[in-house]
Amino acid sequence: MPSLESEIEGIIETFTNNLKQRKFKGSRDLALNSVQLWKKIIGQMKWQNARELMDKIKEIGKDFQETSPSETVIGNMTRRMLKIVRDEYAMLQKGKQEDSDLQESLQKILTADEVDVDYSKNIPLLKPAIMEHIGEFLIELESSEIDISAQALEHIHANEIIMTIGYSKTVFAFLKTAAKDRAFQVIVAECAPFYHGHKLAADLAEAQISTTLIPDSAIFAMMARVNKVIIGTHSVMANGGLKAVCGTHTLALAAKHYSVPFVVCAPMFKLCPEYVCSLDQDGFNQFASPEEVLSNDEGMLVSRVNVYNPIFDYVPPELVTLFISNTGGNAPSYIYRLLSELYHSLDVQL
Amino acid sequence: MSKAVKSGTAKPGSEVVKQEDVIVAILIADSFSIRFAPVTDLKPKALLPLVNRPMIDYALESLLLSGVQKTFVYCVAHADQIRLYLRESKWMRSASPMSIEVISQSSDDCRSLGDSLRDIDGKSLIRGDFILMSADVISNVQLIPILEEHREKRKTDKGIVMTHIFKKSFLGHRSRSAEEELVLAINPTNGRILNYQQSKNLKKLSFPLEMFKEHGLVDLRYDLVDTHISICSPVVLPLFSDNFDYQTWGDFVRGILINEEILNNTIYCHQLEGSYAARVSNISMYDAVSKDIIQRWTFPLVPDLNRSEETPRHTLSRHNVYKQPGVTLGKESVLEVDVVVGENSEIGEQTYVTQSVIGKRCKIGNNVRISNAYIWDDVIIEDECCIEVALIADGVCLKKGVQLGHGCVLGPGVKLAPGTKIPANTRLMASPPKSENEFEISDEEEENLPAPVSADSIGYVYHRPIEEDSDVESLVDELWGLEIEDDTESEEDDEDEADNDEDEDHEEDLEVGDLPEDMNARSFYNEVLESLQRGYEEKIKGDNLVLEINSSKYAYNVTMKEVNMLVIKAMLSLPSVMTKKGGSGTNDDWAALRPILQHFLPVLRNYLKNNQSMLDSLEALEEYGVNNPKFAKITCKVLHYLYGEDVLHEEAILEWHANPPNDPSAMTTIRKIVEPFITWLEEAEEESSDESD
């Protein structure tokens, strides 16, 4: 038994270490890896009933979240695991799915008595059911990018001018799919000081899409001729606001000024049940080394100025026109509904 | 590909391939200095908190993030504490991807970096390339690519022993340690280090001409800072073992460069691009590095991203204010900018804190002003204290209204009575200093060292032991407070530590007196004199003496010219040293000297091989004559003898005579005395040339 425990511990340690070393490329990679990790943990761990399992998931999940507080995806995946356990338990318990979610009314939400559900019953079939469900979820994750880009033709029309910022794998796939059938132009804001936009511009040009790279300061000037803004995001907050790469807010405001549709490609796993004004506000943004802004070599200057290099911007929901997720297009005001489908209300606070 | 590696020697080649799997690092958890005293009296430097986290954690974390798989932690002072700390920490857990092995050694056996590497070599733990780093280095460098670069270079240069990592910092940068100013000569095409000099205090530097002849391009760099991280080939350890005089990294580099032609070993430099590395070598560096951590240059090694079981994460708020959970802030208290407050600390009303670190469980009263201070755990600071630029160790208690001057360091457990004012740059410790001088009896001690600060306080002024480091050195630390105020140059007054390495620069000064000014040359001279005396008394063979002198040469790092001059001087002074009296000024002197010279002829022949060395020796002879007028009388005889024995060639003597002497007074004394010999020589030459005609 201790060997089993230490084996799990080893898996967890490797994961947190990879997390620290930033080995995961993009949030989909991170989501996939963490779900695979959960699959291993749930498969190997000893547990008697759903309650015990959920407690353990919460405990480990909290630890992950602490390791990398700004990666909301990790928390989201933990919540998804808890939801899966709850769903499977309820189904096996009642013999039918707890499908109340979709029909839930405000009345029902308010009067709901969640405490009543007793998860301590030992159901032998629970484990295989959970594993199967996780497997399905993994497939959903893997195909999320394709599912999103499949909708590309509905949004991009011939001879349109699209603006985007930074580098998002989802957006790249989206544009590339659209380019198969339609000719359009892309303007990429370079996204200083990280300059991920350079990479996107190079990749798009390689995919035979006519691309223009502009500095961030030219966003407003260029906006007048843009038909649509399509961006990716780091995560979607509970109110439909965005936690996206620094510079996105500028872009969103410029788009609002010219009433240009502001479309966000966000797979479901990026939906986060937390609000921006939640308690641990400081975990929201992340500040990287100022090195990219001002080189550390710069002699006396370094000791005399304070340099900040934030990674994220918060974009309020009213600036967002549409979310394109792997299940279809949604308005920001509908996010709360999606969230209640994805996560259980008791798991929001880990 | 691997052929290039293997062709050196078959065995190490195969080991390199094997070692490719495991990346090994050696972490030296001791700095072999007392810069942090008295704080380090009870606690090893590696465990001192740096922004509320033990220093060694940063080093281990950066190794882990680099992907190092095995780390040897080598500890000397307070080794048991480090061992205990690591055992309890997350680093030693079985699931950790980096395994750690602690090696400890008593401080009697290990007094320097060189000693520790020799010890590691003796244990034969390392077979492949390894990373050598000091535990007080804070860095976010990715080391693996540099390690690969090192291996790549070995394919073209089999003699590569080390790739040392430097960071570019322009003058006036806060993380430029005044003690470690250096000048490097680098071949810019491949990054090979051609010359290395510690440039502190030097107004001028000299470089060997061959360096410029040999390499088409040479970069002279003054903007580099030593990060104390190096990638070493396995051969580094035996090199240290073979050369007992290598104490520091500087010794090693100089040794390698000097012996370059013989051993064909080379050292390369790697210049960091866009990452951070600095070493906490003294208190002003502690200050600089703390600020860099708070301002996030060391990302991801920043307080809001590190956490362990015992220490929760800091949360970051605007203006780089970090707080751990449980911090209580009083009404109208201000944490202005760059402030870190540890777990469960309390800050009183209307207290103002800026650019400071406050540890765990501290209690800070009302109306306190704290700026640029580093306050460790469990410190109590009562109302109306004023602290600017200070380091306050664990468990210190400052009563109401204490005022600390700039740059004070309070050791653990110091307690100061209400209203005490401490002058700037004072170091206090909680127990009276133990006097080691035997003549100081207890009552005198009482008289000398009462609780000096004020009544009812526990705090004694700490004085740096003078015999170990020169007292001038402490100025570096004392500059601490001032540097923050203005960064203008005040670095001139800091002197070197143990070994001062002015090289060629001091040659000119040598002529001033009989004995060299330079400390190194002086000790070299004494050593040579001793060896010669013993050599003569015990009739040791010339070759062995040459070996002995050569090893002293490396130990004191003197130039060839100095060796030539000093060996001659030592021989000439031998009769007076042995008889303990000055020369009589008669022919007896020559009678005493002649057998000595005769005995040392092989030694002389070894050193005086070319024209330049003969000129050096003649110069030395002249200087010795000027300084010892009694000896001057026999100069002619010495010259004649050495000429007769074919130690000095005719051309050299004539050339020497043709050039004006360095000391004008020599014109009237030595030159006059040797006049007959020179005329005789010239005549002989004419005769011989006549004959040939």
Side-chain angles (χ1 to χ4, degrees), chain A residues 13 17 21 63 66 69 282 287 289 294 296-297 306 308, chain B residues 64 95 97 167-168 170 173 295-297 307 313 316:
Chain A
E13 195 78 29
N17 213 42
Q21 295 182 12
D63 199 61
E66 280 283 287
D282 319 297
F287 291 86
S289 165
L294 175 78
N296 191 258
D297 309 340
N306 267 327
Y308 298 100
Chain B
L64 181 74
K167 180 181 174 298
K168 196 163 124 190
F170 287 115
H173 196 284
Q295 293 179 1
R296 309 181 73 81
W297 294 100
R307 58 179 282 274
R313 229 157 47 79
L316 168 63

PDB file of all heavy atoms in Angstrom, chain A residues 13 17 21 63 66 69 282 287 289 294 296-297 306 308, chain B residues 64 95 97 167-168 170 173 295-297 307 313 316:
ATOM      1  N   GLU A  13       4.153  14.690  -8.196  1.00  0.00           N
ATOM      2  CA  GLU A  13       5.377  15.495  -8.127  1.00  0.00           C
ATOM      3  C   GLU A  13       5.893  15.826  -9.525  1.00  0.00           C
ATOM      4  O   GLU A  13       6.262  16.960  -9.819  1.00  0.00           O
ATOM      5  CB  GLU A  13       6.444  14.728  -7.337  1.00  0.00           C
ATOM      6  CG  GLU A  13       7.615  15.553  -6.879  1.00  0.00           C
ATOM      7  CD  GLU A  13       7.277  16.401  -5.662  1.00  0.00           C
ATOM      8  OE1 GLU A  13       6.406  15.983  -4.861  1.00  0.00           O
ATOM      9  OE2 GLU A  13       7.874  17.462  -5.529  1.00  0.00           O
ATOM     10  N   ASN A  17       6.055  19.522 -11.130  1.00  0.00           N
ATOM     11  CA  ASN A  17       7.367  19.948 -11.590  1.00  0.00           C
ATOM     12  C   ASN A  17       7.326  20.415 -13.037  1.00  0.00           C
ATOM     13  O   ASN A  17       7.884  21.443 -13.383  1.00  0.00           O
ATOM     14  CB  ASN A  17       8.337  18.787 -11.431  1.00  0.00           C
ATOM     15  CG  ASN A  17       9.692  19.281 -11.117  1.00  0.00           C
ATOM     16  OD1 ASN A  17       9.823  20.198 -10.313  1.00  0.00           O
ATOM     17  ND2 ASN A  17      10.686  18.725 -11.747  1.00  0.00           N
ATOM     18  N   GLN A  21       8.190  24.062 -14.466  1.00  0.00           N
ATOM     19  CA  GLN A  21       9.155  24.265 -15.545  1.00  0.00           C
ATOM     20  C   GLN A  21       8.487  24.739 -16.827  1.00  0.00           C
ATOM     21  O   GLN A  21       9.133  24.891 -17.848  1.00  0.00           O
ATOM     22  CB  GLN A  21       9.907  22.966 -15.819  1.00  0.00           C
ATOM     23  CG  GLN A  21      10.769  22.520 -14.670  1.00  0.00           C
ATOM     24  CD  GLN A  21      11.540  21.261 -14.985  1.00  0.00           C
ATOM     25  OE1 GLN A  21      11.619  20.829 -16.122  1.00  0.00           O
ATOM     26  NE2 GLN A  21      12.120  20.661 -13.969  1.00  0.00           N
ATOM     27  N   ASP A  63      -3.861  21.633  -4.090  1.00  0.00           N
ATOM     28  CA  ASP A  63      -2.401  21.687  -4.132  1.00  0.00           C
ATOM     29  C   ASP A  63      -1.917  22.127  -5.509  1.00  0.00           C
ATOM     30  O   ASP A  63      -1.037  22.982  -5.627  1.00  0.00           O
ATOM     31  CB  ASP A  63      -1.861  20.295  -3.792  1.00  0.00           C
ATOM     32  CG  ASP A  63      -0.415  20.352  -3.359  1.00  0.00           C
ATOM     33  OD1 ASP A  63      -0.158  21.029  -2.347  1.00  0.00           O
ATOM     34  OD2 ASP A  63       0.423  19.752  -4.037  1.00  0.00           O
ATOM     35  N   GLU A  66      -2.508  25.766  -6.048  1.00  0.00           N
ATOM     36  CA  GLU A  66      -1.565  26.598  -5.318  1.00  0.00           C
ATOM     37  C   GLU A  66      -0.220  26.691  -6.044  1.00  0.00           C
ATOM     38  O   GLU A  66       0.430  27.715  -6.023  1.00  0.00           O
ATOM     39  CB  GLU A  66      -1.340  26.011  -3.915  1.00  0.00           C
ATOM     40  CG  GLU A  66      -2.425  26.345  -2.952  1.00  0.00           C
ATOM     41  CD  GLU A  66      -2.308  27.770  -2.457  1.00  0.00           C
ATOM     42  OE1 GLU A  66      -1.396  28.044  -1.655  1.00  0.00           O
ATOM     43  OE2 GLU A  66      -3.126  28.617  -2.880  1.00  0.00           O
ATOM     44  N   PRO A  69      -1.077  29.377  -9.391  1.00  0.00           N
ATOM     45  CA  PRO A  69      -2.379  29.989  -9.109  1.00  0.00           C
ATOM     46  C   PRO A  69      -3.026  30.657 -10.319  1.00  0.00           C
ATOM     47  O   PRO A  69      -4.240  30.804 -10.361  1.00  0.00           O
ATOM     48  CB  PRO A  69      -2.061  31.016  -8.029  1.00  0.00           C
ATOM     49  CG  PRO A  69      -0.601  31.232  -8.094  1.00  0.00           C
ATOM     50  CD  PRO A  69       0.006  29.995  -8.635  1.00  0.00           C
ATOM     51  N   ASP A 282      -5.563  38.600  -6.160  1.00  0.00           N
ATOM     52  CA  ASP A 282      -4.166  38.760  -6.551  1.00  0.00           C
ATOM     53  C   ASP A 282      -3.677  37.617  -7.422  1.00  0.00           C
ATOM     54  O   ASP A 282      -2.763  37.782  -8.202  1.00  0.00           O
ATOM     55  CB  ASP A 282      -3.301  38.841  -5.298  1.00  0.00           C
ATOM     56  CG  ASP A 282      -3.968  39.689  -4.250  1.00  0.00           C
ATOM     57  OD1 ASP A 282      -4.146  40.876  -4.529  1.00  0.00           O
ATOM     58  OD2 ASP A 282      -4.331  39.155  -3.198  1.00  0.00           O
ATOM     59  N   PHE A 287       2.630  38.546 -12.805  1.00  0.00           N
ATOM     60  CA  PHE A 287       3.670  39.461 -13.230  1.00  0.00           C
ATOM     61  C   PHE A 287       4.923  38.663 -13.544  1.00  0.00           C
ATOM     62  O   PHE A 287       5.430  37.959 -12.685  1.00  0.00           O
ATOM     63  CB  PHE A 287       3.953  40.494 -12.145  1.00  0.00           C
ATOM     64  CG  PHE A 287       2.828  41.468 -11.958  1.00  0.00           C
ATOM     65  CD1 PHE A 287       1.772  41.175 -11.129  1.00  0.00           C
ATOM     66  CD2 PHE A 287       2.819  42.667 -12.646  1.00  0.00           C
ATOM     67  CE1 PHE A 287       0.719  42.051 -10.972  1.00  0.00           C
ATOM     68  CE2 PHE A 287       1.780  43.550 -12.488  1.00  0.00           C
ATOM     69  CZ  PHE A 287       0.715  43.257 -11.651  1.00  0.00           C
ATOM     70  N   SER A 289       8.990  38.448 -15.173  1.00  0.00           N
ATOM     71  CA  SER A 289      10.212  39.226 -14.970  1.00  0.00           C
ATOM     72  C   SER A 289      10.200  40.445 -15.879  1.00  0.00           C
ATOM     73  O   SER A 289       9.793  40.362 -17.034  1.00  0.00           O
ATOM     74  CB  SER A 289      11.418  38.361 -15.298  1.00  0.00           C
ATOM     75  OG  SER A 289      12.553  39.169 -15.447  1.00  0.00           O
ATOM     76  N   LEU A 294      12.593  45.875 -19.810  1.00  0.00           N
ATOM     77  CA  LEU A 294      13.847  46.610 -19.636  1.00  0.00           C
ATOM     78  C   LEU A 294      14.915  45.585 -19.296  1.00  0.00           C
ATOM     79  O   LEU A 294      14.758  44.819 -18.358  1.00  0.00           O
ATOM     80  CB  LEU A 294      13.709  47.614 -18.485  1.00  0.00           C
ATOM     81  CG  LEU A 294      14.964  48.375 -18.100  1.00  0.00           C
ATOM     82  CD1 LEU A 294      15.225  49.483 -19.084  1.00  0.00           C
ATOM     83  CD2 LEU A 294      14.827  48.946 -16.712  1.00  0.00           C
ATOM     84  N   ASN A 296      17.998  43.821 -17.770  1.00  0.00           N
ATOM     85  CA  ASN A 296      18.613  43.946 -16.442  1.00  0.00           C
ATOM     86  C   ASN A 296      20.030  44.493 -16.501  1.00  0.00           C
ATOM     87  O   ASN A 296      20.594  44.914 -15.502  1.00  0.00           O
ATOM     88  CB  ASN A 296      18.598  42.582 -15.748  1.00  0.00           C
ATOM     89  CG  ASN A 296      18.963  42.666 -14.288  1.00  0.00           C
ATOM     90  OD1 ASN A 296      20.071  42.346 -13.904  1.00  0.00           O
ATOM     91  ND2 ASN A 296      18.052  43.142 -13.477  1.00  0.00           N
ATOM     92  N   ASP A 297      20.615  44.521 -17.681  1.00  0.00           N
ATOM     93  CA  ASP A 297      21.993  45.014 -17.791  1.00  0.00           C
ATOM     94  C   ASP A 297      22.108  46.507 -17.513  1.00  0.00           C
ATOM     95  O   ASP A 297      23.186  47.008 -17.254  1.00  0.00           O
ATOM     96  CB  ASP A 297      22.523  44.809 -19.221  1.00  0.00           C
ATOM     97  CG  ASP A 297      22.318  43.409 -19.703  1.00  0.00           C
ATOM     98  OD1 ASP A 297      22.141  42.548 -18.845  1.00  0.00           O
ATOM     99  OD2 ASP A 297      22.338  43.193 -20.921  1.00  0.00           O
ATOM    100  N   ASN A 306      10.872  51.330 -11.165  1.00  0.00           N
ATOM    101  CA  ASN A 306      10.113  50.113 -10.928  1.00  0.00           C
ATOM    102  C   ASN A 306       9.515  49.692 -12.254  1.00  0.00           C
ATOM    103  O   ASN A 306       8.825  50.477 -12.895  1.00  0.00           O
ATOM    104  CB  ASN A 306       9.007  50.367  -9.917  1.00  0.00           C
ATOM    105  CG  ASN A 306       9.461  50.036  -8.521  1.00  0.00           C
ATOM    106  OD1 ASN A 306      10.269  49.116  -8.329  1.00  0.00           O
ATOM    107  ND2 ASN A 306       8.978  50.770  -7.550  1.00  0.00           N
ATOM    108  N   TYR A 308       7.155  46.966 -14.337  1.00  0.00           N
ATOM    109  CA  TYR A 308       6.164  45.909 -14.165  1.00  0.00           C
ATOM    110  C   TYR A 308       5.905  45.260 -15.508  1.00  0.00           C
ATOM    111  O   TYR A 308       5.906  45.926 -16.538  1.00  0.00           O
ATOM    112  CB  TYR A 308       4.861  46.481 -13.612  1.00  0.00           C
ATOM    113  CG  TYR A 308       5.024  47.102 -12.253  1.00  0.00           C
ATOM    114  CD1 TYR A 308       5.133  48.474 -12.108  1.00  0.00           C
ATOM    115  CD2 TYR A 308       5.108  46.307 -11.125  1.00  0.00           C
ATOM    116  CE1 TYR A 308       5.312  49.050 -10.862  1.00  0.00           C
ATOM    117  CE2 TYR A 308       5.283  46.874  -9.875  1.00  0.00           C
ATOM    118  CZ  TYR A 308       5.383  48.244  -9.746  1.00  0.00           C
ATOM    119  OH  TYR A 308       5.556  48.800  -8.517  1.00  0.00           O
TER     120      TYR A 308
ATOM    121  N   LEU B  64      16.589  22.526  -9.829  1.00  0.00           N
ATOM    122  CA  LEU B  64      15.452  21.661 -10.152  1.00  0.00           C
ATOM    123  C   LEU B  64      14.757  22.137 -11.421  1.00  0.00           C
ATOM    124  O   LEU B  64      14.446  21.351 -12.312  1.00  0.00           O
ATOM    125  CB  LEU B  64      14.469  21.672  -8.980  1.00  0.00           C
ATOM    126  CG  LEU B  64      13.230  20.800  -9.125  1.00  0.00           C
ATOM    127  CD1 LEU B  64      13.607  19.349  -8.951  1.00  0.00           C
ATOM    128  CD2 LEU B  64      12.182  21.176  -8.110  1.00  0.00           C
ATOM    129  N   ALA B  95       9.784  11.322  -3.690  1.00  0.00           N
ATOM    130  CA  ALA B  95       9.121  11.582  -4.961  1.00  0.00           C
ATOM    131  C   ALA B  95       9.768  12.731  -5.729  1.00  0.00           C
ATOM    132  O   ALA B  95       9.448  12.965  -6.874  1.00  0.00           O
ATOM    133  CB  ALA B  95       7.656  11.894  -4.712  1.00  0.00           C
ATOM    134  N   PRO B  97      11.902  14.854  -8.066  1.00  0.00           N
ATOM    135  CA  PRO B  97      12.605  14.453  -9.291  1.00  0.00           C
ATOM    136  C   PRO B  97      14.108  14.712  -9.232  1.00  0.00           C
ATOM    137  O   PRO B  97      14.843  14.262 -10.099  1.00  0.00           O
ATOM    138  CB  PRO B  97      11.953  15.305 -10.376  1.00  0.00           C
ATOM    139  CG  PRO B  97      11.310  16.426  -9.662  1.00  0.00           C
ATOM    140  CD  PRO B  97      11.005  15.981  -8.283  1.00  0.00           C
ATOM    141  N   LYS B 167      27.306  37.338 -16.347  1.00  0.00           N
ATOM    142  CA  LYS B 167      26.137  38.144 -16.679  1.00  0.00           C
ATOM    143  C   LYS B 167      26.605  39.554 -16.979  1.00  0.00           C
ATOM    144  O   LYS B 167      27.521  40.051 -16.342  1.00  0.00           O
ATOM    145  CB  LYS B 167      25.191  38.165 -15.474  1.00  0.00           C
ATOM    146  CG  LYS B 167      23.958  38.975 -15.694  1.00  0.00           C
ATOM    147  CD  LYS B 167      23.110  38.945 -14.421  1.00  0.00           C
ATOM    148  CE  LYS B 167      21.918  39.870 -14.542  1.00  0.00           C
ATOM    149  NZ  LYS B 167      22.271  41.261 -14.707  1.00  0.00           N
ATOM    150  N   LYS B 168      25.979  40.148 -17.950  1.00  0.00           N
ATOM    151  CA  LYS B 168      26.371  41.498 -18.312  1.00  0.00           C
ATOM    152  C   LYS B 168      25.686  42.483 -17.376  1.00  0.00           C
ATOM    153  O   LYS B 168      24.474  42.424 -17.186  1.00  0.00           O
ATOM    154  CB  LYS B 168      25.929  41.755 -19.750  1.00  0.00           C
ATOM    155  CG  LYS B 168      26.589  42.934 -20.390  1.00  0.00           C
ATOM    156  CD  LYS B 168      26.406  42.861 -21.889  1.00  0.00           C
ATOM    157  CE  LYS B 168      25.754  44.124 -22.382  1.00  0.00           C
ATOM    158  NZ  LYS B 168      25.349  44.032 -23.769  1.00  0.00           N
ATOM    159  N   PHE B 170      26.164  46.723 -16.535  1.00  0.00           N
ATOM    160  CA  PHE B 170      26.972  47.923 -16.711  1.00  0.00           C
ATOM    161  C   PHE B 170      27.362  48.508 -15.375  1.00  0.00           C
ATOM    162  O   PHE B 170      26.774  48.186 -14.346  1.00  0.00           O
ATOM    163  CB  PHE B 170      26.208  48.940 -17.550  1.00  0.00           C
ATOM    164  CG  PHE B 170      26.143  48.555 -18.987  1.00  0.00           C
ATOM    165  CD1 PHE B 170      24.939  48.261 -19.590  1.00  0.00           C
ATOM    166  CD2 PHE B 170      27.303  48.458 -19.728  1.00  0.00           C
ATOM    167  CE1 PHE B 170      24.888  47.881 -20.914  1.00  0.00           C
ATOM    168  CE2 PHE B 170      27.261  48.079 -21.050  1.00  0.00           C
ATOM    169  CZ  PHE B 170      26.048  47.784 -21.653  1.00  0.00           C
ATOM    170  N   HIS B 173      25.465  49.213 -11.774  1.00  0.00           N
ATOM    171  CA  HIS B 173      24.369  48.276 -11.536  1.00  0.00           C
ATOM    172  C   HIS B 173      24.443  47.814 -10.096  1.00  0.00           C
ATOM    173  O   HIS B 173      25.524  47.567  -9.579  1.00  0.00           O
ATOM    174  CB  HIS B 173      24.534  47.088 -12.478  1.00  0.00           C
ATOM    175  CG  HIS B 173      23.303  46.269 -12.597  1.00  0.00           C
ATOM    176  ND1 HIS B 173      22.914  45.415 -11.617  1.00  0.00           N
ATOM    177  CD2 HIS B 173      22.377  46.176 -13.576  1.00  0.00           C
ATOM    178  CE1 HIS B 173      21.784  44.816 -11.989  1.00  0.00           C
ATOM    179  NE2 HIS B 173      21.446  45.271 -13.180  1.00  0.00           N
ATOM    180  N   GLN B 295      11.362  42.783  -7.009  1.00  0.00           N
ATOM    181  CA  GLN B 295      10.940  43.391  -8.276  1.00  0.00           C
ATOM    182  C   GLN B 295      10.854  42.378  -9.408  1.00  0.00           C
ATOM    183  O   GLN B 295      10.741  42.741 -10.566  1.00  0.00           O
ATOM    184  CB  GLN B 295      11.885  44.535  -8.635  1.00  0.00           C
ATOM    185  CG  GLN B 295      11.746  45.676  -7.645  1.00  0.00           C
ATOM    186  CD  GLN B 295      12.681  46.830  -7.938  1.00  0.00           C
ATOM    187  OE1 GLN B 295      13.431  46.804  -8.901  1.00  0.00           O
ATOM    188  NE2 GLN B 295      12.635  47.830  -7.091  1.00  0.00           N
ATOM    189  N   ARG B 296      10.970  41.121  -9.055  1.00  0.00           N
ATOM    190  CA  ARG B 296      10.645  40.001  -9.949  1.00  0.00           C
ATOM    191  C   ARG B 296      11.635  39.752 -11.078  1.00  0.00           C
ATOM    192  O   ARG B 296      11.302  39.103 -12.056  1.00  0.00           O
ATOM    193  CB  ARG B 296       9.227  40.156 -10.529  1.00  0.00           C
ATOM    194  CG  ARG B 296       8.174  40.418  -9.487  1.00  0.00           C
ATOM    195  CD  ARG B 296       6.825  40.539 -10.090  1.00  0.00           C
ATOM    196  NE  ARG B 296       6.307  39.252 -10.540  1.00  0.00           N
ATOM    197  CZ  ARG B 296       5.748  38.364  -9.751  1.00  0.00           C
ATOM    198  NH1 ARG B 296       5.641  38.596  -8.467  1.00  0.00           N
ATOM    199  NH2 ARG B 296       5.306  37.230 -10.227  1.00  0.00           N
ATOM    200  N   TRP B 297      12.847  40.248 -10.957  1.00  0.00           N
ATOM    201  CA  TRP B 297      13.825  39.928 -11.994  1.00  0.00           C
ATOM    202  C   TRP B 297      14.154  38.448 -11.983  1.00  0.00           C
ATOM    203  O   TRP B 297      14.627  37.901 -12.967  1.00  0.00           O
ATOM    204  CB  TRP B 297      15.122  40.727 -11.790  1.00  0.00           C
ATOM    205  CG  TRP B 297      14.935  42.183 -11.980  1.00  0.00           C
ATOM    206  CD1 TRP B 297      14.780  43.119 -10.998  1.00  0.00           C
ATOM    207  CD2 TRP B 297      14.858  42.894 -13.212  1.00  0.00           C
ATOM    208  NE1 TRP B 297      14.610  44.363 -11.554  1.00  0.00           N
ATOM    209  CE2 TRP B 297      14.654  44.252 -12.910  1.00  0.00           C
ATOM    210  CE3 TRP B 297      14.929  42.507 -14.550  1.00  0.00           C
ATOM    211  CZ2 TRP B 297      14.531  45.223 -13.892  1.00  0.00           C
ATOM    212  CZ3 TRP B 297      14.805  43.476 -15.520  1.00  0.00           C
ATOM    213  CH2 TRP B 297      14.606  44.816 -15.196  1.00  0.00           C
ATOM    214  N   ARG B 307       6.127  28.055  -2.659  1.00  0.00           N
ATOM    215  CA  ARG B 307       5.388  27.640  -1.476  1.00  0.00           C
ATOM    216  C   ARG B 307       5.873  26.262  -1.068  1.00  0.00           C
ATOM    217  O   ARG B 307       6.396  25.515  -1.884  1.00  0.00           O
ATOM    218  CB  ARG B 307       3.897  27.567  -1.777  1.00  0.00           C
ATOM    219  CG  ARG B 307       3.567  26.627  -2.919  1.00  0.00           C
ATOM    220  CD  ARG B 307       2.097  26.579  -3.140  1.00  0.00           C
ATOM    221  NE  ARG B 307       1.430  25.750  -2.181  1.00  0.00           N
ATOM    222  CZ  ARG B 307       1.282  24.435  -2.315  1.00  0.00           C
ATOM    223  NH1 ARG B 307       1.786  23.816  -3.339  1.00  0.00           N
ATOM    224  NH2 ARG B 307       0.649  23.737  -1.410  1.00  0.00           N
ATOM    225  N   ARG B 313       1.982  30.587   0.359  1.00  0.00           N
ATOM    226  CA  ARG B 313       2.323  31.522  -0.680  1.00  0.00           C
ATOM    227  C   ARG B 313       2.170  32.968  -0.219  1.00  0.00           C
ATOM    228  O   ARG B 313       1.287  33.287   0.559  1.00  0.00           O
ATOM    229  CB  ARG B 313       1.343  31.295  -1.832  1.00  0.00           C
ATOM    230  CG  ARG B 313       1.927  31.155  -3.170  1.00  0.00           C
ATOM    231  CD  ARG B 313       0.953  30.395  -4.052  1.00  0.00           C
ATOM    232  NE  ARG B 313      -0.423  30.866  -3.977  1.00  0.00           N
ATOM    233  CZ  ARG B 313      -0.880  31.954  -4.617  1.00  0.00           C
ATOM    234  NH1 ARG B 313      -0.074  32.676  -5.333  1.00  0.00           N
ATOM    235  NH2 ARG B 313      -2.141  32.291  -4.523  1.00  0.00           N
ATOM    236  N   LEU B 316       0.440  38.789  -3.928  1.00  0.00           N
ATOM    237  CA  LEU B 316       1.054  39.999  -4.471  1.00  0.00           C
ATOM    238  C   LEU B 316      -0.015  41.045  -4.678  1.00  0.00           C
ATOM    239  O   LEU B 316      -1.065  40.773  -5.239  1.00  0.00           O
ATOM    240  CB  LEU B 316       1.714  39.649  -5.811  1.00  0.00           C
ATOM    241  CG  LEU B 316       2.179  40.794  -6.699  1.00  0.00           C
ATOM    242  CD1 LEU B 316       3.259  41.586  -6.000  1.00  0.00           C
ATOM    243  CD2 LEU B 316       2.703  40.256  -8.002  1.00  0.00           C
TER     244      LEU B 316
END
